Amino acid sequence: MTAPTPAPGALSSLSTAARNLHWLLTNLVEEVPGLLSVAVVSSDGLLLLSSDPGRNEQAPEVRSGGPKGSSADLATIVSGVGSLTIGAAKLMDGGGVKQTMVAMEEGSLFVMSISDGSLLGVHATPDCDMSVIAYHMALFVGRAGHVLTPELRSELRQSMETTR
């Protein structure tokens, strides 16, 4: 998968913190083999940041690799899985959910808590190295969690709306 390519000038209009998050996502996408799509979702289920394979100049087989080729679909799935696991953890008195992994015949889904309800979701190939993906997701979460303020989430939401 190639790294997300923002529209020309799109990153320059963002704050330093927002550009840093884009940089972190780009590094995640470029450094980890087997990723099909990546999404950062707010606690209310809104897409904040994505690799958005549907908008990149990529081969058709890569574009169709994500859920319906859309990071918006991945965001919906991540939000739903996140809510389901949080509810399950409450019923089981399990504490906070740190990570959820779903292994499927044709791929894998990883969901990791970032901060105050925000989630990082990754859809990966069936032959991915799950431990490598989980490790790099944890690095992303550790670096992104302290900067994902309400102001930054608002800025990221607005930037996603204007690039669609």
Side-chain angles (χ1 to χ4, degrees):
M1 179 167 99
T2 58
T5 309
L11 282 182
S12 62
S13 65
L14 296 176
S15 68
T16 301
R19 286 194 308 271
N20 286 341
L21 278 179
H22 277 276
W23 179 82
L24 285 172
L25 180 74
T26 299
N27 279 350
L28 178 67
V29 168
E30 290 177 349
E31 297 294 321
V32 182
L35 298 185
L36 296 172
S37 56
V38 180
V40 176
V41 182
S42 67
S43 60
D44 53 0
L46 296 175
L47 182 62
L48 299 177
L49 193 62
S50 78
S51 61
D52 208 3
R55 283 199 317 236
N56 292 333
E57 298 291 327
Q58 298 176 349
E61 64 274 6
V62 174
R63 233 181 267 121
S64 65
K68 295 191 180 178
S70 167
S71 59
D73 291 335
L74 178 61
T76 301
I77 293 165
V78 167
S79 180
V81 167
S83 294
L84 180 65
T85 56
I86 288 168
K90 285 180 183 175
L91 286 172
M92 297 176 187
D93 292 325
V97 177
K98 295 179 182 179
Q99 180 180 4
T100 304
M101 191 211 55
V102 180
M104 303 168 280
E105 288 179 14
E106 300 300 323
S108 297
L109 172 68
F110 302 83
V111 179
M112 191 173 285
S113 299
I114 298 177
S115 63
D116 64 347
S118 297
L119 301 166
L120 171 65
V122 169
H123 179 218
T125 60
D127 60 345
C128 70
D129 187 331
M130 294 179 188
S131 61
V132 169
I133 291 178
Y135 172 75
H136 283 278
M137 286 177 71
L139 289 178
F140 181 95
V141 165
R143 293 173 179 150
H146 68 282
V147 297
L148 205 50
T149 63
E151 294 81 18
L152 182 56
R153 285 193 300 274
S154 177
E155 179 184 359
L156 291 170
R157 275 189 213 135
Q158 289 173 357
S159 73
M160 289 301 291
E161 290 171 6
T162 59
T163 58
R164 291 200 184 269

